[in-house]
């Protein structure tokens, strides 16, 4: 028997004056998955999350979360990390986490035990008695994430969770998210950095220009693209790449080139041409298209500007 989706949206529309934020978006998020909500800044991702969380209402459409349309009744079963971080600066770290745990239905002793355990896991055990305002930005983000997962929510909603984190803290956040998924939680993760979603998510929903552009499992989206790309490293002349019957596009990536083959082209024919040219080939590999490339193709097919493509991933400072 199939399990009901943790999130089910139908025809979600939202306007802010004359601006359309969402134009009839459908979404189903299966249980026990990490789903990435992807798109450029201003695409409508945060609006969709706030509708799911009943912070704002849609102008049209239906919302069902954790099997219920009564969104107030499911609040304690959800953990939400907003993009706009916010903690009470004058509170002690341990008191802040206990406070958040009690708000989500935990007993005080249970919340205290979980808070201490969580702080130890993220390397902040010694800072438990300190005021929040004495922590660095990165430390405060760790505390906020702990407060989001302290009550072990069934649904975890994260809005740009890696924003402003250094690479080490990004990896820590990913590990904590994966632990929640292994414990049975469903995760909905919004990001404009598509590489984060590609590495972490089982499935993605891509939004651009207030519309859903793609939705499905990452592996299935890549397989369905039918794309045939090559990564080639070589020494010598690049003359073999000027093969109009085989090659559609070449992108120099520094240490290697990415080659888009024309539809129906045989990779072996290009390899044969390279060997005949005298080039010394050290890498000749068929590769899957990235989600970013798939997004651009779908956005163009839908008549949207390619400037809607999410930017390449980058690590921030914290």
């Amino acid at each position: 028997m199939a399990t009901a989706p943790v999130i089910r949206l139908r025809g979600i529309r939202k306007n802010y004056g004359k601006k359309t934020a969402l134009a009839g978006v459908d979404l189903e998020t299966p249980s026990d998955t990490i789903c990435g909500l992807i798109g450029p800044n201003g695409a409508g991702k945060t609006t969709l999350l706030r509708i799911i969380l009943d912070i704002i209402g849609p102008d049209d459409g239906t919302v069902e979360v954790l099997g219920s349309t009564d969104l107030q009744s499911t609040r304690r079963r959800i953990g939400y990390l907003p993009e706009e971080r916010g903690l009470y600066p004058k509170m002690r770290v341990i008191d802040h986490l206990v406070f958040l745990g009690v708000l989500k239905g935990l007993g005080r002793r249970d919340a205290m035990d979980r808070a201490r355990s969580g702080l130890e896991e993220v390397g902040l055990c010694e800072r438990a008695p300190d005021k929040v305002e004495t922590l660095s930005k990165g430390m405060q983000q760790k505390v906020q994430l702990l407060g989001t997962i302290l009550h072990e929510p069934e649904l975890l909603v994260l809005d740009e969770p890696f924003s402003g984190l250094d690479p080490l803290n990004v990896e820590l956040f990913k590990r904590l998210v994966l632990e929640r998924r292994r414990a049975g939680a469903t995760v909905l993760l919004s990001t404009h950095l598509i590489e984060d979603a590609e590495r972490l998510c089982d499935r993605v929903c891509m939004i651009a220009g207030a519309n859903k552009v793609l939705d499905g499992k990452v592996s299935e989206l890549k397989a369905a693209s039918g794309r045939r790309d090559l990564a080639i490293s070589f020494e010598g002349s690049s003359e073999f790449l000027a093969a109009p019957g085989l090659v559609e596009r070449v992108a120099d990536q520094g240490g290697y080139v990415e080659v888009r083959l024309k539809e129906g082209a045989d990779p072996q024919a290009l390899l044969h041409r390279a060997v005949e040219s005298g080039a010394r080939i050290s890498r000749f590999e068929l590769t899957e298209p990235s989600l970013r490339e798939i997004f651009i193709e779908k956005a163009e097919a839908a008549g949207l500007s390619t400037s809607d493509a999410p930017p390449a991933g980058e690590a921030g400072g914290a």
Side-chain angles (χ1 to χ4, degrees), residues 32 149-154 156 174-187:
D32 193 25
I149 64 178
L150 198 71
H151 61 296
E152 299 178 351
E154 297 171 53
L156 193 56
K174 288 180 180 178
R175 177 168 60 80
L176 293 174
V177 170
L178 288 170
E179 286 176 0
R180 291 307 313 144
R181 186 273 186 90
R182 285 192 289 270
T186 298
V187 182

Side-chain angles (χ1 to χ4, degrees), residues 25 102 153 258 313:
V25 173
V102 170
E258 286 182 350

Side-chain angles (χ1 to χ4, degrees), residues 30 50 86 89 102 107-108 122 137 159 192 214 228 240 250 264 295:
R50 289 174 175 170
V102 170
R108 182 172 177 79
V122 301
K137 180 181 177 182
D159 194 358
H192 69 285
L214 274 178
R228 310 186 75 188
F240 70 94
V250 178
F295 178 92

Side-chain angles (χ1 to χ4, degrees), residues 35 202-206 214-221 291:
C35 179
D202 307 295
R203 60 187 301 121
V204 293
C205 173
M206 298 185 178
L214 274 178
D215 185 11
K217 292 183 179 179
V218 172
S219 58
E220 292 177 355
L221 292 174
L291 284 179

